[in-house]
Amino acid sequence: MASVRSGMDYIYDRLKVAGPITVADYMKECLISPLTGYYMQKDVFGAKGDYTTSPEISQIFGELLAVWVLADWMVNNEDKPFQLVELGPGRGTLSKDILRVFGQFKQTHQKVSLHLIEMSPAMSRLQEETLTGNKSTSAPSAELISPYKSCTLASGVEVHWYLSVKDVPKGLSYFIAHEFFDALPVHQFMKTPQGWREVMVDRDLTAAEGEEVGNALRFVLAPGPTLASSNFSHLLPEGAEQGELCLEGMSLVTELAERVRDHGGGALIADYGETEIKKHTLRSFKQHQAHDVLKEPGTADLTADVNYGVIQKVVSAVGVGCHGPMNQNKFLHKMGIRRRLEVLLQKATPTQAKDLLSGYEMLTHPEQMGTRYKFLALTPSSQHIPTPF
């Protein structure tokens, strides 16, 4: 019986044949390779996974994002059908919480359809089970069609799955990208006397004393300009020795901005990041612990800080309104998290109250997620200012 090949095996073979690859290509191999990609095979969220996201911490998070969508739709687009589009829906918890709030407004439930951007067959099955409450029985289409899977919820809301946001029908839409941009591949750069040089991943053919040379990896610098360093180095921070750029993120946010400008609605990006990044931020987590980014590729999460400053530059060129970034503590409190917490505590059991207070603390405390995570909103014009910016 043939042995199962690991992600390292595939990457090592690629490096043998083609030579060093960009950090962005390495991230793709690790995260979304169909055979060994981290996101492609299993549920990676929650206590049993490698990290926990805000929707899994407290239902209030999703409820407040539902209010954000409703506040804009009711004022600017009421009576118009709209699409709720979530990028990287995880277990489907966030969409489920948002739709539960929508269900309290009959006119909203009749107007909304849900569109999920998900590359992982395993995660799309889990999302369907979360949303329907039933074991997933539908299989992704074997043909190259979009959406690749669809179902209708008991409420009558239609749900569709896509590989790319480009496949979602154009029309009035509200896009939610919660902890999505941080998983997109980044290109890394180092400043040298010859200018910016791109960081690459290559085989490590050296060995420590007493060790054999095996499937080990290392970072190296490209000997000359690459496509990314030649065309995008002007976006790197002045006076810095290191830099990162997420070219896929720049392309994606351009797509979102153009759709919001041309068809209405809005987009809400929620992630950890800064308005200026002058260092390499790529890191890895496995079972909630820091992990070497070059070890056991495909078995651990890879993530990098979102550069909100670059996002602002990109969307300003499209001509839409860009609001924020605003830290999570401020955003959630302005959206009413404290008032919602007090309402839930009135009917909570002691155990439920403990969980609610713990979740509130984790989401809002400055030393936890309160200041590290930030929200940025896109609207059709700069005069269109969404709640709570």
Side-chain angles (χ1 to χ4, degrees), residues 8 18 72 113 143 177 271 274 279-280 283 287 334:
M8 178 67 86
D72 191 89
S113 57
E143 301 178 14
D271 228 313
E274 303 293 340
K279 62 181 181 180
H280 293 161
R283 54 202 179 274
Q287 297 176 345
K334 282 191 150 191

Side-chain angles (χ1 to χ4, degrees), residues 10-46:
Y10 286 104
I11 291 172
Y12 219 71
D13 286 349
R14 178 177 174 179
L15 295 174
K16 283 182 180 178
V17 173
I21 59 175
T22 66
V23 172
D25 282 342
Y26 174 72
M27 289 183 69
K28 290 180 186 177
E29 288 280 359
C30 293
L31 298 178
I32 59 174
S33 166
L35 294 174
T36 59
Y38 173 74
Y39 288 121
M40 305 303 284
Q41 310 297 328
K42 62 176 182 176
D43 176 12
V44 299
F45 300 93

Side-chain angles (χ1 to χ4, degrees), residues 44 61 97 130 142 175 185 207 268 288 292 330 356 360 384 387 389:
V44 299
F61 185 86
D97 289 341
T130 298
F175 300 91
L268 190 64
H288 300 272
D292 190 323
K330 186 174 182 180
L356 285 167
Y360 167 78
H384 183 146
T387 304
F389 293 91

Side-chain angles (χ1 to χ4, degrees), residues 215-249:
N215 285 7
L217 303 173
R218 61 173 180 160
F219 290 116
V220 299
L221 286 184
T226 60
L227 190 63
S229 66
S230 297
N231 290 284
F232 298 100
S233 61
H234 64 283
L235 293 173
L236 293 168
E238 293 185 11
E241 297 299 315
Q242 299 179 343
E244 282 178 342
L245 288 175
C246 181
L247 304 187
E248 283 197 21

Side-chain angles (χ1 to χ4, degrees), residues 95-96 139 276 319:
S95 284
K96 181 180 180 180
E276 186 176 58

Side-chain angles (χ1 to χ4, degrees), residues 42-255:
K42 62 176 182 176
D43 176 12
V44 299
F45 300 93
K48 294 182 180 180
D50 296 308
Y51 60 97
T52 302
T53 60
S54 295
E56 305 293 337
I57 294 170
S58 175
Q59 69 180 68
I60 304 176
F61 185 86
E63 292 171 349
L64 296 182
L65 265 59
V67 172
W68 184 85
V69 174
L70 286 171
D72 191 89
W73 179 73
M74 287 181 171
V75 170
N76 300 289
N77 300 294
E78 192 171 13
D79 294 331
K80 296 179 183 177
F82 70 98
Q83 302 177 142
L84 175 67
V85 184
E86 186 181 357
L87 291 78
R91 290 174 166 171
T93 304
L94 179 56
S95 284
K96 181 180 180 180
D97 289 341
I98 291 175
L99 290 181
R100 187 178 65 252
V101 175
F102 285 3
Q104 299 177 30
F105 302 87
K106 184 177 180 181
Q107 73 275 26
T108 307
H109 240 194
Q110 294 174 339
K111 300 289 186 181
V112 66
S113 57
L114 178 62
H115 304 258
L116 304 177
I117 312 304
E118 179 59 69
M119 297 186 68
S120 167
M123 293 310 299
S124 71
R125 287 192 297 271
L126 183 57
Q127 291 151 15
E128 183 180 354
E129 291 170 9
T130 298
L131 292 167
T132 63
N134 301 314
K135 195 74 174 177
S136 175
T137 57
S138 62
S141 171
E143 301 178 14
L144 294 177
I145 62 173
S146 193
Y148 65 80
K149 187 168 77 166
S150 299
C151 72
T152 302
L153 305 183
S155 62
V157 173
E158 293 185 355
V159 186
H160 307 283
W161 281 262
Y162 308 82
L163 295 176
S164 168
V165 73
K166 291 180 180 292
D167 298 328
V168 177
K170 292 182 178 178
L172 178 63
S173 302
Y174 288 91
F175 300 91
I176 304 292
H178 175 255
E179 288 200 47
F180 183 78
F181 279 81
D182 69 273
L184 296 179
V186 296
H187 293 260
Q188 291 191 327
F189 306 89
M190 291 283 291
K191 196 65 173 293
T192 74
Q194 293 75 39
W196 287 104
R197 289 291 182 263
E198 186 161 6
V199 178
M200 313 291 281
V201 175
D202 195 7
R203 293 179 295 160
D204 187 353
L205 300 178
T206 64
E209 185 176 348
E211 293 183 355
E212 293 184 7
V213 175
N215 285 7
L217 303 173
R218 61 173 180 160
F219 290 116
V220 299
L221 286 184
T226 60
L227 190 63
S229 66
S230 297
N231 290 284
F232 298 100
S233 61
H234 64 283
L235 293 173
L236 293 168
E238 293 185 11
E241 297 299 315
Q242 299 179 343
E244 282 178 342
L245 288 175
C246 181
L247 304 187
E248 283 197 21
M250 292 163 58
S251 176
L252 173 60
V253 80
T254 299
E255 173 80 12

Side-chain angles (χ1 to χ4, degrees), residues 341-358:
L341 175 66
E342 291 168 355
V343 169
L344 291 175
L345 286 173
Q346 290 174 4
K347 297 181 179 180
T349 66
T351 299
Q352 290 171 334
K354 182 180 178 181
D355 290 342
L356 285 167
L357 290 169
S358 173

